[in-house]
PDB file of all heavy atoms in Angstrom:
ATOM      1  N   ALA X 128     -12.870  50.327  40.671  1.00 98.00           N
ATOM      2  CA  ALA X 128     -12.518  51.665  41.173  1.00 98.00           C
ATOM      3  C   ALA X 128     -12.621  52.699  40.052  1.00 98.00           C
ATOM      4  O   ALA X 128     -13.187  53.786  40.236  1.00 98.00           O
ATOM      5  CB  ALA X 128     -11.117  51.650  41.764  1.00 98.00           C
ATOM      6  N   LEU X 129     -12.092  52.355  38.877  1.00 98.00           N
ATOM      7  CA  LEU X 129     -12.171  53.272  37.736  1.00 98.00           C
ATOM      8  C   LEU X 129     -13.630  53.512  37.349  1.00 98.00           C
ATOM      9  O   LEU X 129     -14.030  54.648  37.062  1.00 98.00           O
ATOM     10  CB  LEU X 129     -11.408  52.693  36.538  1.00 98.00           C
ATOM     11  CG  LEU X 129      -9.881  52.832  36.543  1.00 98.00           C
ATOM     12  CD1 LEU X 129      -9.253  51.911  35.503  1.00 98.00           C
ATOM     13  CD2 LEU X 129      -9.460  54.282  36.285  1.00 98.00           C
ATOM     14  N   ALA X 130     -14.425  52.460  37.350  1.00 98.00           N
ATOM     15  CA  ALA X 130     -15.829  52.593  36.956  1.00 98.00           C
ATOM     16  C   ALA X 130     -16.579  53.511  37.923  1.00 98.00           C
ATOM     17  O   ALA X 130     -17.443  54.293  37.507  1.00 98.00           O
ATOM     18  CB  ALA X 130     -16.495  51.219  36.892  1.00 98.00           C
ATOM     19  N   ARG X 131     -16.238  53.419  39.202  1.00 97.00           N
ATOM     20  CA  ARG X 131     -16.888  54.272  40.201  1.00 97.00           C
ATOM     21  C   ARG X 131     -16.650  55.748  39.857  1.00 97.00           C
ATOM     22  O   ARG X 131     -17.577  56.563  39.892  1.00 97.00           O
ATOM     23  CB  ARG X 131     -16.318  53.968  41.594  1.00 97.00           C
ATOM     24  CG  ARG X 131     -17.255  54.344  42.712  1.00 97.00           C
ATOM     25  CD  ARG X 131     -16.672  53.936  44.056  1.00 97.00           C
ATOM     26  NE  ARG X 131     -16.053  52.602  43.961  1.00 97.00           N
ATOM     27  CZ  ARG X 131     -15.051  52.173  44.731  1.00 97.00           C
ATOM     28  NH1 ARG X 131     -14.529  52.970  45.643  1.00 97.00           N
ATOM     29  NH2 ARG X 131     -14.541  50.957  44.587  1.00 97.00           N
ATOM     30  N   VAL X 132     -15.430  56.097  39.533  1.00 97.00           N
ATOM     31  CA  VAL X 132     -15.113  57.491  39.201  1.00 97.00           C
ATOM     32  C   VAL X 132     -15.774  57.872  37.871  1.00 97.00           C
ATOM     33  O   VAL X 132     -16.344  58.958  37.730  1.00 97.00           O
ATOM     34  CB  VAL X 132     -13.591  57.711  39.119  1.00 97.00           C
ATOM     35  CG1 VAL X 132     -13.287  59.182  38.888  1.00 97.00           C
ATOM     36  CG2 VAL X 132     -12.905  57.219  40.378  1.00 97.00           C
ATOM     37  N   LEU X 133     -15.700  56.961  36.889  1.00 97.00           N
ATOM     38  CA  LEU X 133     -16.271  57.263  35.567  1.00 97.00           C
ATOM     39  C   LEU X 133     -17.771  57.546  35.679  1.00 97.00           C
ATOM     40  O   LEU X 133     -18.302  58.418  34.982  1.00 97.00           O
ATOM     41  CB  LEU X 133     -16.020  56.097  34.607  1.00 97.00           C
ATOM     42  CG  LEU X 133     -14.592  56.026  34.050  1.00 97.00           C
ATOM     43  CD1 LEU X 133     -14.296  54.656  33.448  1.00 97.00           C
ATOM     44  CD2 LEU X 133     -14.367  57.121  33.007  1.00 97.00           C
ATOM     45  N   LYS X 134     -18.448  56.827  36.557  1.00 95.00           N
ATOM     46  CA  LYS X 134     -19.881  57.040  36.742  1.00 95.00           C
ATOM     47  C   LYS X 134     -20.175  58.484  37.149  1.00 95.00           C
ATOM     48  O   LYS X 134     -21.207  59.040  36.765  1.00 95.00           O
ATOM     49  CB  LYS X 134     -20.420  56.070  37.798  1.00 95.00           C
ATOM     50  CG  LYS X 134     -21.395  55.054  37.207  1.00 95.00           C
ATOM     51  CD  LYS X 134     -21.890  54.095  38.266  1.00 95.00           C
ATOM     52  CE  LYS X 134     -21.894  52.681  37.713  1.00 95.00           C
ATOM     53  NZ  LYS X 134     -21.807  51.668  38.751  1.00 95.00           N
ATOM     54  N   ASP X 135     -19.286  59.068  37.947  1.00 93.00           N
ATOM     55  CA  ASP X 135     -19.456  60.464  38.368  1.00 93.00           C
ATOM     56  C   ASP X 135     -19.300  61.434  37.200  1.00 93.00           C
ATOM     57  O   ASP X 135     -19.865  62.525  37.210  1.00 93.00           O
ATOM     58  CB  ASP X 135     -18.403  60.856  39.427  1.00 93.00           C
ATOM     59  CG  ASP X 135     -18.628  60.136  40.744  1.00 93.00           C
ATOM     60  OD1 ASP X 135     -19.706  59.520  40.896  1.00 93.00           O
ATOM     61  OD2 ASP X 135     -17.735  60.200  41.602  1.00 93.00           O
ATOM     62  N   ILE X 136     -18.482  61.077  36.233  1.00 94.00           N
ATOM     63  CA  ILE X 136     -18.190  62.009  35.137  1.00 94.00           C
ATOM     64  C   ILE X 136     -19.204  61.880  34.007  1.00 94.00           C
ATOM     65  O   ILE X 136     -19.546  62.866  33.351  1.00 94.00           O
ATOM     66  CB  ILE X 136     -16.797  61.726  34.508  1.00 94.00           C
ATOM     67  CG1 ILE X 136     -15.731  61.509  35.576  1.00 94.00           C
ATOM     68  CG2 ILE X 136     -16.387  62.877  33.592  1.00 94.00           C
ATOM     69  CD1 ILE X 136     -14.388  61.103  34.997  1.00 94.00           C
ATOM     70  N   LEU X 137     -19.632  60.662  33.722  1.00 96.00           N
ATOM     71  CA  LEU X 137     -20.482  60.432  32.551  1.00 96.00           C
ATOM     72  C   LEU X 137     -21.843  61.113  32.710  1.00 96.00           C
ATOM     73  O   LEU X 137     -22.368  61.205  33.822  1.00 96.00           O
ATOM     74  CB  LEU X 137     -20.678  58.926  32.345  1.00 96.00           C
ATOM     75  CG  LEU X 137     -19.441  58.171  31.845  1.00 96.00           C
ATOM     76  CD1 LEU X 137     -19.621  56.660  32.006  1.00 96.00           C
ATOM     77  CD2 LEU X 137     -19.160  58.509  30.378  1.00 96.00           C
ATOM     78  N   PRO X 138     -22.398  61.599  31.602  1.00 94.00           N
ATOM     79  CA  PRO X 138     -23.748  62.162  31.653  1.00 94.00           C
ATOM     80  C   PRO X 138     -24.727  61.093  32.151  1.00 94.00           C
ATOM     81  O   PRO X 138     -24.492  59.896  31.908  1.00 94.00           O
ATOM     82  CB  PRO X 138     -24.040  62.517  30.193  1.00 94.00           C
ATOM     83  CG  PRO X 138     -22.744  62.479  29.480  1.00 94.00           C
ATOM     84  CD  PRO X 138     -21.845  61.583  30.255  1.00 94.00           C
ATOM     85  N   PRO X 139     -25.796  61.498  32.848  1.00 88.00           N
ATOM     86  CA  PRO X 139     -26.694  60.541  33.493  1.00 88.00           C
ATOM     87  C   PRO X 139     -27.089  59.357  32.594  1.00 88.00           C
ATOM     88  O   PRO X 139     -27.032  58.211  33.024  1.00 88.00           O
ATOM     89  CB  PRO X 139     -27.919  61.392  33.841  1.00 88.00           C
ATOM     90  CG  PRO X 139     -27.389  62.776  33.975  1.00 88.00           C
ATOM     91  CD  PRO X 139     -26.244  62.889  33.016  1.00 88.00           C
TER      92      PRO X 139
END
Side-chain angles (χ1 to χ4, degrees):
Chain X
L129 281 165
R131 203 176 318 153
V132 185
L133 283 163
K134 246 179 223 156
D135 292 348
I136 315 175
L137 289 166

